[in-house]
Amino acid sequence: MLFCHQVPGCRGDDSSSKSLQEDLHQCLFTALFNSSHREMYRRYLNAGKGGDKTGSEGCRPLENLFGTLKNLLQGKTPENLVKVSCQWSAVVSGFLPRFLAAFLNVHDKTLCQKMLQHLCNLIGLAEDSPAPCRQLETPQVMRAASSMLKQVRDADVYNVARDNEAGGSQLKFYRKLAEILLSMPVEDAWYETALTLLQMNHGILEPRMSHVLTHGWLNVTQMSCSSELGHFLSELFNTYFKLRQMPKLITYITSAIFDTNHNLSSLVCPRIFTDRFHDLVQGLPQTTAVDIWGKLVEEMKTRYIIPLTDKSQDVGLSSKLRSVATVLRLYLGGVKMADYTITEVTARTAHQLMSQMETEVLQPLYELCSQQGEELSDSALFLSYTWGELKLLLALYDKKYRAGITFSTDTVSHQHDLELVHPYLNSERWLKLHKRVKKSQNKGLQYLLDLLSIQKLKALLLFSPEQSEAAEHLQTVIDRIVSLPADITDDHRNASWDGQPCSIRGDNCLVSRWQTLVSNLPVFASALSTEHCEKIAKFMVATALDQDKTSDLYLASLTNNLLVAPVTMETRRLQSCIIASLWPQLTPTQGSGKSPKKKRKLSPGVTMVIEGLSELGAMTPDGPQKADSDYLTELKGVASLVTKALSITEDPIDLQPQQMQLLKILEKLPLEFLSLSERVRCFCGLTLLASCTANNSTIVHLLTTLLDSVGPMPVFQIVSADVFLSWLTTLCSDTQSTSCPAQTLVDKTCQVLVRDFLVITNMDAYITKLCADLKLCCGHLQHKKIQKASDLEKAKFILASALLKHVTVQLQKQNLPSTIRDCYRGVFVKLSSVISTIVSTLRSVPSKKTVVSPSSYLISCFRFVVNQSCVDFGKEVKRKEKEGVAMEIDGEDAKPAGDVETVTLDENLTLNTEFVMKRLTDDIGQGDGCDLSSLEFIQTACNHHQHLKSVLTPAVVHKLYEVLMSAVTRSHDQHKLMMSSKPVHEADLYKSVKSLLDGHVPTRKTPSPCNSDLEQQDSLSRRHSLMSALQDTLASVITSCDLDLFKTILANLVDSTFPSLLWTQADKMLAAMTVWEKLLAGHLTEEQSVEVTVAAQHILMNYQSSLEQLHGLPVDSSLRQALPILRSQTAMLNYGYTLVPRQTSVLCLHGCRVIPLEGSTYSSYIPACTAVQEVLSALIIHHPNAVLSVIPSYVANIRHLLVSVIQHGCQDRLAPDPQFVDGMVHCANQLTRLLSLLQPVKVEFSKVAVYLLSDYACEVQRVTLLPAVKKALLPGIYILLDIADRFQVAQLLAVLPDGTKDVFKLMYAEYTKYHKYTGRV
């Protein structure tokens, strides 16, 4: 031990030092706990306390060892002992827990208990020790004791039943430790030790529970509060909740408060404790809940209010009353009395308690407040707030109770009159109370009065019979709540608040007021006037300039939460006021000149921008009856400024950081759902900003969002489309801007332009000019040297591609008026003629690869030309066929059959398509031409293979298949290398596999170019998109084959799923599975469907063999191979018996057992659980007859899922990983959905459902489910109770063990009372 602590570097924090120290400890413990020494330890510990010599012969080494440790702990160090940086007592105290941990690994539990007592004796925690070791500081003693107790708890050394048989010696020892604990100061180690004793057995602390609560909670102040207090209280209440002894714990608390001999400060209630306490109170049975409520009310009345009213001399009674009021307030905050499941008896009891609180608690309490001043005012007001919230909730669910809230002039006589909700004080007394609070300048009391005013506002909105009568009073209350200052200082922005009324001061008073408004804004948002919305909007804009703080209770963080809250998303008037408040502050400014006394003169473009933004800020929100033509007329002046600003070319300026913050406000607003006029205003304002600024990637994204909004967007009826497209083309050619956002903006702009017929008909001149510019791009093909294409030329091809895309979409619509169709046809003819000419020129010069670089822009344009030409050709062929049939019916001389075949596709288009296909096939084969535009072109050509038979010959298609299959395999191999080149965290693996199972790549907003992590995510997203496009294209190629080639390719796919490839060519197998899945989703002919059905059986057999080979592999390896197989199986099962016969479908059940569920990490469990559930759901939905033939196997798989969901849904297990809570709730919901699918066949499952119920009861008795997971899972359990036979349930009640039987009885009672259908509603 000495050597371990003296080696240089052993005391460092680096990993190498820790590793060396672990090795040294391992060597030491190997020597100390050699198997030859076990008998010596047994004799030494059985001899007594280690000091007896009788029976300890041959134990001299252990006597020397523990004697040396005892001397070191007592400070008796020999002169020749090496010096250490700290006292040897501290070194030894840190060594003892490790010594005990090593001892636990080699000895039985009885001997381990004796060793624990012996080690506690060394540090002065023995049964007869007067005090802990004097040489050790109290924190060191507590840390050593806590560490050793945790070792004993984890090893399950203390067994209550075995100890009771032996006389209870262990219990006496632990209770002695608890006695010693109560004499020590409260700190982190104290709570850890108490928590460990509680977890070992609550009976250890229970005899002294009142003293534990007093010492560890009641006497703790806000300044001396430990971070472990919340965890200790949460576990304490959770333990008594599990034992169904919550009333007993409440009695301990009230007794501890009453028995305290000194004044108590305000109870410290950490947030983690209050949240957990509320959850536990909601889970109490209704009878227990009202019983505890009644006991607390009676406690306040008899022990405190009556003695204080009788002028008792107990000076500490007022402080104790505050503490009991806090407990009652916390309890009522979580009580679940407002619900349709509450019985009439419970509701009647709740109403009686509410009346009792009003007359016997609240009314006398305010009498005491008027006598004793502010000492009880905060408790009275806080208790009134909790009582008022419960009263309003009860009024929503009970008509009789709602009648008690009556609106009249007496109950709202003035703005401070709260008699409408709180009738125990009349209007005069409420006014006096308000004046007294205002005079005291107590910000906390003023905050509580504001909360009571909010309750009055709720009552006026919800329960007043006529809103017109209450309108004046509503506006008066809202005026008080929305009284926000116009000027915000830095002190206001930097102030924080912890949410406690007692901590409200002058600097954070505004934070508390803002928090009150933000949290209650959904209540009265509909009653806000325009002036109120303007005040709130200006305050939001002023406070959102700061960056987010770490706490939620800063002005900036509260504002940012409000910006994305549903109330902001749904209140258009508030959105309009926020946007109007932004424009004046977004006004750009140019920097000063070289001389500090001379400011640079504003340029004409900036002057126009400032003028336009000022006009936008001065506009008022639209009325509900305003016509579209009216607001377009109002915006013509701003639109002319936009057109002029876009036409001027000036050096761009940079936006200030504060202005960039304001743009983030716009990003959070639902721009796509704004009113039509507001969207046009936003578009004009953002376009003005974009015309003069440089860092405009955020503005580009916002413009894209506006153009992609719901409904029409007639902005280009007032803004010149030609000028905007010219500016947009220049923007795309700017190498400093990111390409993706700019290209997206081009696409959405063209979509809006093409849809607006009034705009597209006036763009003939611009289209003609664009075609001329495109022709110039191929001029260099006549020269010997290829000139590099400029960025402006690329941008023009991007624009042409977008125009062709949306024009062809319109041309393919049915019932389009001829005038509009002719307009779209004219645009298409012009652009397609130019694109075809360029491709023909390129075909005539095959040595030169491309016109623009990269060639994806040209290919994208040509794809739309080919697609529309083939569509038109198909329509022409059908028209000719109909004419021939009509002539035969009329008896006329029919044309020869060959006349219809003479209708052929344009030869030039065919040759161009053949040329492009050959070029793309060669490029993909070389590995340098596989991009989205190329794949989309191939897919388009394959979709029209009937019209392009001369291009897509069997040889061409076969070569294309081989090239694409090779590319798919390469892409999977590169993805595997990329994932293996960096450590994969659990959360990343979970998200990656979840994305794979969901079948899509998650999208997000445009990242900042400087953020390398987001750019890496973008690269990964593009890679996934490319892989998906490859698979879709390959499926299209396969479906375009003739039948012979189709059979050959199917045989190749079947061979690629052979189980032997799982270990040698796993990437090839994964590629074949993904292509097979895409092929099933494609359009197959009747002959192809027959061949696919035959191949499906062979592939399913291969899947089953592969899954059997994965059994026993590590979780991650098994997960990577098995999940795609399950995904493919689900896709096949979803097609029913037409694809998978009954005998083959049953094989999928056996594969589900291979997936590692129990004992796996959350990152691997959640996607695995989802995959298994999808397979089982597909079986019961599409193959019910097959499931009914193997009910035991199917139920075994459901049991596997149920047990794993309960084990992983344990709240203790989820506590360190809260990011997986949503995933576990999703798994529970999916399991409930799976169980609901059993209802159509409940007769067949009625005999086996009871086994699942037994498994649920046994597992829940062992672990405590997270409330959210339990809430999602319980409906499924109730479905099993619906299905189960009542005789089987009775038998289950008879055979279950006692503890499990109680759990099942409680669950069955709740099901029978609230959820079982009894024949009436």
Side-chain angles (χ1 to χ4, degrees):
M1 183 189 66
L2 307 184
F3 184 63
C4 292
H5 287 274
Q6 285 306 299
V7 172
C10 276
R11 296 181 300 276
D13 293 332
D14 57 290
S15 58
S16 60
S17 298
K18 290 182 179 179
S19 176
L20 176 59
Q21 195 173 21
E22 291 295 329
D23 292 340
L24 291 173
H25 276 106
Q26 187 64 34
C27 293
L28 176 62
F29 294 142
T30 302
L32 288 175
F33 302 115
N34 189 275
S35 58
S36 60
H37 299 160
R38 294 183 182 177
E39 182 63 23
M40 181 171 58
Y41 278 103
R42 186 189 62 78
R43 291 200 308 270
Y44 178 79
L45 293 173
N46 287 333
K49 299 178 181 177
D52 258 349
K53 294 183 179 179
T54 58
S56 60
E57 293 81 1
C59 300
R60 176 64 63 179
L62 292 182
E63 293 176 0
N64 292 336
L65 171 64
F66 290 111
T68 303
L69 293 176
K70 185 175 183 180
N71 290 333
L72 291 176
L73 287 170
Q74 294 178 353
K76 300 176 183 179
T77 56
E79 295 181 357
N80 59 349
L81 187 64
V82 292
K83 303 298 181 183
V84 294
S85 58
C86 60
Q87 293 185 0
W88 272 109
S89 57
V91 174
V92 175
S93 66
F95 171 76
L96 292 182
R98 307 197 61 151
F99 179 87
L100 180 62
F103 187 86
L104 289 169
N105 293 328
V106 295
H107 291 280
D108 60 84
K109 295 181 179 180
T110 304
L111 210 60
C112 290
Q113 177 66 29
K114 294 182 178 180
M115 177 58 74
L116 171 66
Q117 297 179 13
H118 187 55
L119 295 181
C120 288
N121 185 24
L122 291 180
I123 60 176
L125 295 180
E127 297 181 17
D128 55 354
S129 298
C133 182
R134 295 182 179 179
Q135 296 298 325
L136 284 177
E137 296 180 0
T138 302
Q140 294 174 340
V141 175
M142 297 311 304
R143 280 195 293 270
S146 176
S147 300
M148 290 190 292
L149 287 173
K150 288 178 181 177
Q151 299 287 348
V152 171
R153 179 201 63 192
D154 295 339
D156 198 19
V157 171
Y158 176 50
N159 184 279
V160 178
R162 189 168 56 244
D163 183 53
N164 290 337
E165 294 176 358
S169 58
Q170 294 185 29
L171 180 60
K172 294 178 183 178
F173 168 73
Y174 290 126
R175 285 182 174 174
K176 175 61 179 177
L177 286 183
E179 290 286 347
I180 298 174
L181 188 69
L182 293 175
S183 64
M184 294 185 175
V186 177
E187 55 185 18
D188 289 352
W190 190 95
Y191 288 110
E192 292 175 1
T193 307
L195 180 60
T196 307
L197 291 173
L198 177 67
Q199 291 171 343
M200 292 174 67
N201 193 331
H202 76 287
I204 297 173
L205 296 179
E206 192 167 60
R208 303 281 290 171
M209 184 59 69
S210 296
H211 294 81
V212 172
L213 291 169
T214 302
H215 192 60
W217 186 23
L218 301 182
N219 293 338
V220 175
T221 62
Q222 195 72 35
M223 299 297 296
S224 62
C225 177
S226 168
S227 59
E228 297 296 324
L229 173 61
H231 297 286
F232 171 71
L233 291 176
S234 299
E235 186 63 27
L236 176 64
F237 278 76
N238 191 46
T239 300
Y240 276 84
F241 176 79
K242 290 180 182 178
L243 296 171
R244 297 179 183 82
Q245 296 181 5
M246 187 65 79
K248 191 175 184 179
L249 179 60
I250 298 297
T251 303
Y252 283 135
I253 295 173
T254 55
S255 300
I257 294 174
F258 185 76
D259 295 338
T260 304
N261 296 324
H262 56 275
N263 290 333
L264 295 176
S265 59
S266 299
L267 277 184
V268 179
C269 301
R271 182 65 177 272
I272 184 176
F273 160 64
T274 56
D275 292 345
R276 183 59 187 152
F277 184 44
H278 289 164
D279 291 340
L280 295 176
V281 172
Q282 289 183 11
L284 289 173
Q286 297 178 19
T287 307
T288 306
V290 294
D291 287 345
I292 296 175
W293 185 358
K295 288 180 180 179
L296 288 173
V297 172
E298 189 66 23
E299 178 84 9
M300 289 190 66
K301 172 189 172 184
T302 57
R303 283 192 170 183
Y304 301 101
I305 293 180
I306 293 178
L308 285 172
T309 306
D310 296 339
K311 308 295 182 181
S312 174
Q313 299 299 318
D314 189 348
V315 294
L317 215 55
S318 298
S319 63
K320 296 176 184 179
L321 175 58
R322 294 177 62 201
S323 299
V324 176
T326 302
V327 175
L328 178 58
R329 173 178 59 82
L330 289 175
Y331 181 81
L332 290 181
V335 70
K336 188 181 179 182
M337 287 296 108
D339 198 332
Y340 289 119
T341 61
I342 302 301
T343 62
E344 294 181 3
V345 177
T346 305
R348 188 162 52 249
T349 306
H351 295 167
Q352 293 174 357
L353 288 170
M354 290 291 290
S355 301
Q356 185 180 355
M357 281 188 65
E358 181 181 353
T359 57
E360 299 179 2
V361 175
L362 292 173
Q363 191 171 357
L365 193 58
Y366 278 100
E367 293 289 344
L368 293 173
C369 291
S370 61
Q371 300 171 8
Q372 300 186 13
E374 298 182 10
E375 185 177 1
L376 293 174
S377 296
D378 57 344
S379 298
L381 289 173
F382 227 142
L383 200 56
S384 293
Y385 169 73
T386 308
W387 182 86
E389 287 294 304
L390 194 53
K391 179 177 181 179
L392 292 175
L393 284 174
L394 286 170
L396 286 175
Y397 286 86
D398 192 335
K399 292 182 179 180
K400 297 179 181 179
Y401 208 84
R402 192 180 312 166
I405 303 178
T406 55
F407 173 80
S408 66
T409 55
D410 296 332
T411 56
V412 287
S413 58
H414 54 82
Q415 61 175 341
H416 305 301
D417 184 8
L418 305 176
E419 195 176 355
L420 179 63
V421 182
H422 303 275
Y424 43 83
L425 295 183
N426 56 30
S427 59
E428 294 180 1
R429 295 191 61 184
W430 280 120
L431 182 59
K432 289 180 181 179
L433 178 62
H434 175 78
K435 291 179 178 179
R436 188 166 66 246
V437 170
K438 185 177 182 181
K439 184 178 179 180
S440 67
Q441 296 295 318
N442 190 320
K443 303 296 182 182
L445 298 182
Q446 292 178 7
Y447 166 77
L448 293 174
L449 280 176
D450 288 340
L451 293 181
L452 298 184
S453 298
I454 294 288
Q455 291 180 347
K456 174 184 175 181
L457 182 62
K458 292 178 181 178
L460 288 172
L461 287 170
L462 295 175
F463 306 120
S464 58
E466 295 185 9
Q467 294 293 336
S468 57
E469 297 180 4
E472 181 181 352
H473 302 283
L474 277 173
Q475 295 305 315
T476 303
V477 179
I478 295 175
D479 286 340
R480 178 184 174 186
I481 298 171
V482 189
S483 58
L484 300 170
D487 298 328
I488 309 299
T489 64
D490 292 337
D491 293 338
H492 290 145
R493 293 190 177 97
N494 296 326
S496 64
W497 183 45
D498 60 0
Q500 298 294 332
C502 58
S503 60
I504 299 178
R505 304 176 302 276
D507 56 344
N508 64 1
C509 177
L510 184 59
V511 181
S512 65
R513 289 169 54 194
W514 183 230
Q515 192 271 341
T516 304
L517 193 152
V518 168
S519 58
N520 293 281
L521 187 59
V523 177
F524 55 88
S526 59
L528 290 174
S529 63
T530 304
E531 291 77 16
H532 293 148
C533 290
E534 289 176 352
K535 282 185 180 180
I536 296 174
K538 290 178 181 178
F539 190 85
M540 292 174 68
V541 172
T543 55
L545 296 178
D546 263 353
Q547 295 180 352
D548 271 348
K549 306 293 183 178
T550 55
S551 171
D552 287 336
L553 299 180
Y554 285 82
L555 288 180
S557 57
L558 287 170
T559 301
N560 290 329
N561 291 337
L562 179 59
L563 282 170
V564 297
V567 62
T568 306
M569 303 295 107
E570 298 168 3
T571 310
R572 286 194 172 182
R573 184 183 298 175
L574 180 59
Q575 297 168 7
S576 300
C577 293
I578 293 173
I579 295 172
S581 302
L582 286 173
W583 300 127
Q585 300 196 38
L586 282 171
T587 302
T589 57
Q590 287 183 326
S592 60
K594 295 182 179 180
S595 174
K597 295 183 180 180
K598 296 182 180 179
K599 290 187 177 180
R600 185 182 300 174
K601 185 178 180 181
L602 294 177
S603 63
V606 175
T607 304
M608 293 178 188
V609 172
I610 294 174
E611 182 182 351
L613 293 178
S614 300
E615 289 188 24
L616 288 174
M619 292 182 179
T620 58
D622 297 330
Q625 305 297 329
K626 204 166 190 178
D628 294 348
S629 58
D630 296 337
Y631 74 79
L632 287 177
T633 304
E634 289 179 359
L635 288 171
K636 280 187 177 179
V638 178
S640 63
L641 292 174
V642 172
T643 304
K644 293 177 183 178
L646 292 176
S647 304
I648 298 176
T649 304
E650 294 178 349
D651 293 334
I653 60 177
D654 294 328
L655 289 176
Q656 301 298 321
Q658 289 185 347
Q659 293 172 323
M660 296 300 296
Q661 279 299 116
L662 294 174
L663 288 177
K664 290 183 179 180
I665 296 178
L666 278 178
E667 281 187 305
K668 295 176 181 178
L669 293 176
L671 299 181
E672 61 272 27
F673 299 109
L674 293 176
S675 63
L676 190 58
S677 61
E678 207 60 58
R679 278 186 276 138
V680 175
R681 287 175 188 166
C682 280
F683 186 87
C684 293
L686 290 171
T687 307
L688 284 170
L689 280 175
S691 66
C692 66
T693 55
N695 48 352
N696 52 12
S697 60
T698 304
I699 300 177
V700 168
H701 172 71
L702 292 172
L703 288 172
T704 305
T705 304
L706 285 169
L707 292 174
D708 195 26
S709 56
V710 178
M713 184 67 173
V715 64
F716 295 109
Q717 295 180 16
I718 54 176
V719 176
S720 173
D722 298 354
V723 174
F724 187 83
L725 287 178
S726 300
W727 170 80
L728 195 54
T729 307
T730 307
L731 178 66
C732 283
S733 64
D734 184 8
T735 56
Q736 300 299 322
S737 64
T738 37
S739 59
C740 284
Q743 291 184 28
T744 307
L745 179 58
V746 171
D747 180 74
K748 297 304 177 185
T749 303
C750 293
Q751 181 181 6
V752 172
L753 287 172
V754 171
R755 286 180 177 178
D756 196 336
F757 181 70
L758 297 177
V759 177
I760 194 67
T761 51
N762 297 322
M763 292 185 61
D764 188 67
Y766 182 83
I767 299 296
T768 303
K769 182 178 179 301
L770 177 63
C771 293
D773 294 338
L774 293 176
K775 286 183 179 180
L776 294 176
C777 295
C778 63
H780 66 279
L781 292 177
Q782 308 302 328
H783 305 102
K784 293 182 179 180
K785 185 178 180 181
I786 298 180
Q787 300 175 0
K788 185 177 180 181
S790 65
D791 294 329
L792 185 60
E793 291 175 338
K794 298 177 186 178
K796 291 177 180 178
F797 273 94
I798 294 173
L799 179 60
S801 174
L803 285 172
L804 280 169
K805 172 184 175 181
H806 295 290
V807 166
T808 54
V809 169
Q810 297 298 322
L811 285 174
Q812 293 175 18
K813 288 183 177 180
Q814 301 294 331
N815 302 324
L816 199 65
S818 58
T819 307
I820 300 177
R821 185 178 296 277
D822 292 341
C823 177
Y824 290 141
R825 176 67 62 183
V827 175
F828 173 76
V829 168
K830 288 183 179 180
L831 291 173
S832 62
S833 175
V834 173
I835 298 300
S836 298
T837 302
I838 294 174
V839 176
S840 299
T841 307
L842 185 63
R843 177 167 51 87
S844 63
V845 192
S847 60
K848 298 180 180 180
K849 284 200 169 184
T850 183
V851 178
V852 292
S853 178
S855 59
S856 57
Y857 306 125
L858 177 60
I859 293 173
S860 180
C861 294
F862 189 56
R863 175 171 72 92
F864 296 114
V865 174
V866 172
N867 182 59
Q868 186 61 36
S869 300
C870 290
V871 170
D872 294 341
F873 176 71
K875 291 180 179 179
E876 183 66 18
V877 170
K878 289 182 179 179
R879 187 181 64 82
K880 293 284 186 180
E881 291 176 349
K882 288 181 179 179
E883 288 181 357
V885 172
M887 294 176 67
E888 290 181 1
I889 294 175
D890 293 340
E892 300 180 7
D893 293 336
K895 293 184 179 180
D899 287 357
V900 176
E901 296 179 0
T902 56
V903 181
T904 58
L905 198 62
D906 181 65
E907 182 180 0
N908 186 45
L909 182 67
T910 304
L911 294 175
N912 287 341
T913 306
E914 182 180 1
F915 164 74
V916 173
M917 286 290 292
K918 185 178 183 304
R919 177 68 60 83
L920 294 181
T921 304
D922 294 341
D923 290 344
I924 295 174
Q926 297 172 4
D928 58 354
C930 189
D931 55 19
L932 286 177
S933 60
S934 302
L935 296 174
E936 288 172 351
F937 182 87
I938 295 174
Q939 193 171 355
T940 300
C942 291
N943 291 338
H944 297 288
H945 65 277
Q946 305 232 353
H947 306 314
L948 297 171
K949 292 181 180 179
S950 60
V951 176
L952 296 174
T953 60
V956 171
V957 173
H958 188 266
K959 182 180 179 181
L960 192 57
Y961 165 76
E962 292 179 343
V963 168
L964 289 174
M965 194 66 188
S966 176
V968 171
T969 307
R970 284 198 310 271
S971 66
H972 283 289
D973 187 31
Q974 291 173 1
H975 179 69
K976 182 186 70 173
L977 292 175
M978 180 183 62
M979 295 300 292
S980 62
S981 63
K982 59 181 181 180
V984 180
H985 300 287
E986 288 189 0
D988 297 334
L989 179 62
Y990 163 58
K991 293 177 182 177
S992 176
V993 178
K994 184 177 184 299
S995 174
L996 175 65
L997 289 175
D998 291 343
H1000 63 80
V1001 179
T1003 58
R1004 59 172 188 82
K1005 292 187 177 181
T1006 304
S1008 174
C1010 62
N1011 194 328
S1012 58
D1013 293 337
L1014 293 181
E1015 288 180 354
Q1016 187 175 5
Q1017 292 181 10
D1018 259 354
S1019 176
L1020 184 62
S1021 176
R1022 287 193 295 270
R1023 186 182 297 274
H1024 278 290
S1025 300
L1026 186 61
M1027 289 173 61
S1028 179
L1030 265 172
Q1031 296 159 10
D1032 290 334
T1033 305
L1034 189 52
S1036 298
V1037 170
I1038 296 174
T1039 55
S1040 66
C1041 300
D1042 58 14
L1043 190 57
D1044 293 337
L1045 184 56
F1046 186 79
K1047 292 180 181 179
T1048 304
I1049 293 176
L1050 277 185
N1052 189 10
L1053 285 178
V1054 172
D1055 294 341
S1056 299
T1057 59
F1058 202 69
S1060 61
L1061 298 179
L1062 190 64
W1063 313 109
T1064 57
Q1065 300 181 21
D1067 297 316
K1068 182 179 180 180
M1069 184 176 182
L1070 183 60
M1073 285 190 291
T1074 53
V1075 172
W1076 170 252
E1077 185 180 344
K1078 296 288 185 181
L1079 181 62
L1080 291 178
H1083 298 286
L1084 300 174
T1085 63
E1086 187 175 350
E1087 295 83 1
Q1088 290 174 343
S1089 299
V1090 173
E1091 299 299 327
V1092 166
T1093 303
V1094 176
Q1097 300 183 38
H1098 297 289
I1099 290 179
L1100 205 55
M1101 294 290 291
N1102 290 340
Y1103 284 168
Q1104 180 58 32
S1105 301
S1106 300
L1107 288 174
E1108 290 176 356
Q1109 294 185 20
L1110 293 175
H1111 186 66
L1113 285 181
V1115 171
D1116 291 338
S1117 301
S1118 178
L1119 178 71
R1120 183 177 182 273
Q1121 301 291 349
L1123 289 183
I1125 295 178
L1126 289 179
R1127 171 78 175 179
S1128 184
Q1129 279 185 343
T1130 305
M1132 296 169 68
L1133 291 172
N1134 285 336
Y1135 288 94
Y1137 294 117
T1138 57
L1139 182 64
V1140 181
R1142 173 178 173 178
Q1143 295 80 3
T1144 311
S1145 63
V1146 176
L1147 293 175
C1148 298
L1149 282 176
H1150 305 293
C1152 294
R1153 297 288 298 176
V1154 182
I1155 306 301
L1157 294 180
E1158 299 174 0
S1160 56
T1161 59
Y1162 285 108
S1163 57
S1164 59
Y1165 170 76
I1166 294 175
C1169 180
T1170 304
V1172 173
Q1173 287 169 349
E1174 288 178 352
V1175 172
L1176 296 179
S1177 298
L1179 277 169
I1180 194 65
I1181 293 173
H1182 302 287
H1183 301 266
N1185 293 332
V1187 171
L1188 295 179
S1189 64
V1190 287
I1191 288 180
S1193 298
Y1194 193 80
V1195 172
N1197 280 279
I1198 295 180
R1199 179 195 176 278
H1200 193 204
L1201 280 173
L1202 178 63
V1203 172
S1204 66
V1205 167
I1206 295 174
Q1207 290 179 353
H1208 287 81
C1210 175
Q1211 65 179 11
D1212 297 331
R1213 188 170 179 178
L1214 274 171
D1217 301 309
Q1219 69 273 19
F1220 295 112
V1221 170
D1222 291 340
M1224 283 307 306
V1225 172
H1226 173 72
C1227 290
N1229 282 321
Q1230 288 293 95
L1231 181 56
T1232 297
R1233 177 180 176 272
L1234 176 61
L1235 294 174
S1236 68
L1237 295 175
L1238 302 180
Q1239 288 180 311
V1241 288
K1242 62 181 181 180
V1243 175
E1244 291 81 358
F1245 279 87
S1246 60
K1247 302 298 182 183
V1248 295
V1250 68
Y1251 297 106
L1252 295 175
L1253 292 171
S1254 174
D1255 293 327
Y1256 172 80
C1258 293
E1259 292 298 326
V1260 169
Q1261 200 264 342
R1262 296 190 187 101
V1263 301
T1264 302
L1265 277 174
L1266 190 74
V1269 177
K1270 186 176 181 179
K1271 182 179 180 181
L1273 187 59
L1274 268 180
I1277 303 302
Y1278 292 150
I1279 290 172
L1280 289 177
L1281 287 170
D1282 284 333
I1283 295 175
D1285 185 274
R1286 61 189 180 92
F1287 301 106
Q1288 299 289 333
V1289 172
Q1291 183 181 1
L1292 180 62
L1293 283 170
V1295 300
L1296 283 176
D1298 291 337
T1300 308
K1301 185 183 296 183
D1302 294 338
V1303 174
F1304 184 79
K1305 280 184 176 180
L1306 181 63
M1307 177 190 69
Y1308 191 72
E1310 291 190 2
Y1311 159 76
T1312 306
K1313 194 171 187 179
Y1314 305 118
H1315 301 279
K1316 184 177 181 180
Y1317 179 65
T1318 58
R1320 61 185 180 89
V1321 179

